[in-house]
Each structure stands twice: as C-alpha cells, then as structure tokens.
Amino acid sequence: MLEPEDTLKLNVLIATSIAIRIDTYKLTVVGLNAQFKEQIIELKPKGDSEAYIKEVKKLLVTQVLGAMGGYPSYLKRWSRMGQVESSNLTSLLRLGEVEAVIAVSNSTNLDDELLKLTWWCATNTNNQAEIGRFLLTKPFVLKTQTGRDIAQYLLEFLPFVNDIEQLIDTTSLVLQEGLIEQKDQDRLWKQGQRKTAFLVGFVERMSGNLPNEFNIKTPNYEHADLQLINNEQSQLFLTTLAHILKKINQEYVLYRALEVLGRYMQHQSISFQNSIEKITDQISDLSLVANNEQNQLDARLLLAGVNERLVVRTISAHNLTGSAIRKKLVHVLEPIQKALKILTTP
C-alpha cells in the first residue's frame, strides 16, 4: 500500500503534469507541467522499495488510463512495433512506464512537442539510449534541437556500448547530416581506425562523403562497368572496407561490412550468392571482355555478389569468434580482399 502522503502528492502530480517519469534508484517521481517545469516527489516507502514502485505505477495507470492492474499488456506487445494509436500518446507519457515511452518513440504520429516530452521521459532511464535510437530513425527529428541533443547523448554514451550491432547502429544514426559537429565526426573516424565497428557506421551512412585521409588517387578506367569506382569517394569506400575486413574479429562487423559492400557494388547481371564459387560462375557466364582492364572488371563483378550469406552459415555452425573468423573464412575473405586491392591499387 502507498503511504497516504505519497498518494495525495501523486494525485496532485497527475493532475498537473503533461509527462511523468520515475527514478527507481532515487525513489522519486518527477512530473513536467505545461510550462516545462519539473515537480519532484520523494517517495517514502516503509517496506520493499521495488514493490512500492509497482504500487506507484498501478496508481498512475489507474488514474491516467482508467485501467486496473498496471500497464496494459497489449501496449507492451506493440510498444516496439509503432502500432499505438495517436490518441493514446499523451496519456502514455504520464504513466512513468519505460515501455510506454518506447511505444511513443516508435509511433508514426510524433510531432515536435511529443518528441520533447518523449525524450524528457527517457532521461535517466535504463532505456534512454534505445529510445534515442528509435527517435533518430524519424526524418523530422533530424531537423530539431531535440534531435541534436539525442545525438550528443548517444555520442557520449558510445564508450559504454558493448553490443556490436548497437555500436554500428548508433554510429550510423549520429552521422546523419546536421546532428553532430565536424570535430565529433573526425574523432569517431579516428577511433574507427582501431575499432572498426565505427567505420561500418561510416560506410553505411556516409558513402560519398567519407574523410579523405588516405591520400587517395583516382583511377581512370575506361570500361563502362568500372565507371562506378572512377572517383575519390568510391576509392575511399573500398579502401575503408579493405581496412575493416583486414581486422575482422567480430561476426556482426563482418555481416554488415559485406552487406554494404555488395549493395554499393551491385551489378544488373550479378546476383547475391552464398559462395564465392557461385559468384565466379556468374562472371564466367557473362564472358565480359575488358582488354587491359580484365582483372579490374572481374574484381568489380566479384564484389557485386558479396553479401552476409557467404559467411553466416559457417560462423553459426562453428560458433566462430575473434581471430577464428578470419582463419576459418580465409577462402571467402581472401578473394574479396584481393579484389579490393586490385581496385584500389593505381
């Protein structure tokens, strides 16, 4: 049971707040009023604090939604699917429930005001980074100050991210135009020379606008199918992928690197395959001739068939990690690296 004093204060907070969040560590409930000023209640449980927080949430959902028994289960199922009705969004941000905030962040009906409230509700929660990533997938957010605030938070949070896919996703999201300053981009790029997951974020998001720190020389190939790589940015892209693949020791870095490479180099007559042999068979069937540029043409066509299916089965079957990935997949990685070297050597 809630203490009478806390019940009274919470009812006042509910009546005067447009958004509410709960700090389970400090045992406080914070409300945000229409003037964007915070109101803080310090809870005073006499027993188990975790059970007390559950009672607080039960009161909030009962008062705000008129639903007994806590956060509605159907919203929990839909919270990451963007299927919550727009009429519910403002109410969900008054529940002090992180799942409800995630539901709003995934909604297709956000506007600038709801964006600010959602990010405020996410602050100081365990899911703040996750909610920030959801919000930065929405184009309108990129043009707002809140979007820039989210990107700055995610940038500062990066050193604490251990999940490689989240690391790549976060890097890719903050690199969207206008979100972070050039000095921050430069720092991320420099860090990527050691931790290549950052570089995967760069090649996914900024192919065509990569930093030129490799003293790249532009080739002048004549064959029509080689025009794609006749520019500085394409050479930077391929050089960066070569650097990533040389240091592969993590499966998701490899999956994402192969996927972005294959998409970039795609060719109308080459389809993605699950083995290097099948790609080379396609190239042989084409019988394209390039005279003095035959090696370059064959290399370009090989890369057009590259994708994660080349490696995912082997990695899964043998549970490969670290340097074992490079050793076990040498028959896949060596031809790709050779092709990259051919296309980036003047």
Side-chain angles (χ1 to χ4, degrees), residues 124-304:
N124 295 330
T125 68
N126 291 334
N127 298 73
Q128 186 171 359
E130 178 187 15
I131 292 167
R133 287 191 293 270
F134 283 142
L135 292 172
L136 287 189
T137 63
K138 303 178 185 305
F140 93 90
V141 175
L142 309 182
K143 298 178 174 61
T144 67
Q145 180 58 49
T146 304
R148 291 187 285 275
D149 292 342
I150 294 170
Q152 195 60 43
Y153 168 82
L154 291 176
L155 191 65
E156 294 170 2
F157 186 73
L158 267 177
F160 306 101
V161 177
N162 295 316
D163 184 283
I164 295 298
E165 283 200 286
Q166 288 183 11
L167 192 66
I168 297 171
D169 289 340
T170 302
T171 303
S172 179
L173 286 167
V174 302
L175 286 173
Q176 293 178 98
E177 187 176 357
L179 288 180
I180 63 174
E181 296 182 10
Q182 186 63 50
K183 63 180 178 63
D184 293 321
Q185 282 191 25
D186 294 343
R187 179 164 51 87
L188 269 181
W189 177 259
K190 187 175 181 180
Q191 290 174 329
Q193 307 310 311
R194 301 187 307 276
K195 195 165 188 174
T196 54
F198 291 127
L199 293 186
V200 178
F202 271 92
V203 293
E204 284 186 346
R205 180 64 63 182
M206 296 185 67
S207 59
N209 194 30
L210 294 169
N212 185 1
E213 292 186 358
F214 298 109
N215 193 26
I216 295 294
K217 294 183 179 179
T218 305
N220 187 28
Y221 298 126
E222 295 182 0
H223 194 280
D225 287 328
L226 293 173
Q227 298 309 301
L228 172 68
I229 58 174
N230 265 355
N231 60 80
E232 178 185 273
Q233 279 298 315
S234 291
Q235 290 293 307
L236 278 168
F237 177 85
L238 296 176
T239 300
T240 304
L241 262 300
H243 179 72
I244 293 170
L245 293 176
K246 183 179 180 181
K247 295 190 172 187
I248 284 294
N249 60 7
Q250 214 290 330
E251 59 181 302
Y252 291 108
V253 171
L254 180 55
Y255 297 155
R256 301 277 285 264
L258 293 181
E259 285 291 308
V260 72
L261 178 57
R263 288 196 303 270
Y264 189 90
M265 300 296 285
Q266 63 184 306
H267 186 278
Q268 66 273 15
S269 299
I270 300 291
S271 59
F272 296 147
Q273 298 295 331
N274 59 10
S275 74
I276 292 292
E277 291 74 24
K278 289 181 180 179
I279 301 174
T280 54
D281 286 346
Q282 287 186 98
I283 297 171
S284 298
D285 292 342
L286 284 178
S287 300
L288 292 178
V289 178
N291 298 323
N292 295 331
E293 298 173 347
Q294 190 66 50
N295 286 341
Q296 287 83 359
L297 178 59
D298 289 344
R300 182 258 186 274
L301 294 174
L302 176 78
L303 297 181

Side-chain angles (χ1 to χ4, degrees), residues 5 9 11 42 60 68 73 121 131 169 171 190 203 211 235 239-241 248 265 280 309-310 316 318 323 344-345:
E5 182 181 352
K9 289 180 178 179
N11 278 312
E42 294 184 3
L60 289 173
M68 300 296 292
S73 61
C121 287
I131 292 167
D169 289 340
T171 303
K190 187 175 181 180
V203 293
Q235 290 293 307
T239 300
T240 304
L241 262 300
I248 284 294
M265 300 296 285
T280 54
R309 285 186 292 151
L310 291 172
S316 299
H318 298 277
S323 60
T344 55
T345 300

Side-chain angles (χ1 to χ4, degrees), residues 85-128:
E85 293 180 5
S86 58
S87 58
N88 283 336
L89 297 181
T90 52
S91 296
L92 292 178
L93 295 180
R94 297 170 65 213
L95 301 181
E97 174 61 64
V98 171
E99 283 289 340
V101 182
I102 292 172
V104 176
S105 70
N106 267 315
S107 171
T108 57
N109 298 300
L110 277 183
D111 57 25
D112 192 44
E113 190 72 10
L114 275 171
L115 169 65
K116 292 177 184 176
L117 293 180
T118 303
W119 187 238
W120 180 87
C121 287
T123 302
N124 295 330
T125 68
N126 291 334
N127 298 73
Q128 186 171 359

Side-chain angles (χ1 to χ4, degrees), residues 17-56:
S17 298
I18 58 175
I20 294 172
R21 70 174 182 241
I22 298 174
D23 190 322
T24 57
Y25 301 107
K26 294 181 179 179
L27 289 177
T28 60
V29 181
V30 187
L32 191 70
N33 65 23
Q35 289 73 46
F36 272 72
K37 292 183 178 179
E38 293 184 0
Q39 310 166 84
I40 301 174
I41 296 175
E42 294 184 3
L43 300 173
K44 297 174 181 174
K46 289 185 177 178
D48 180 11
S49 59
E50 187 174 337
Y52 201 78
I53 291 294
K54 287 183 180 178
E55 290 297 319
V56 171

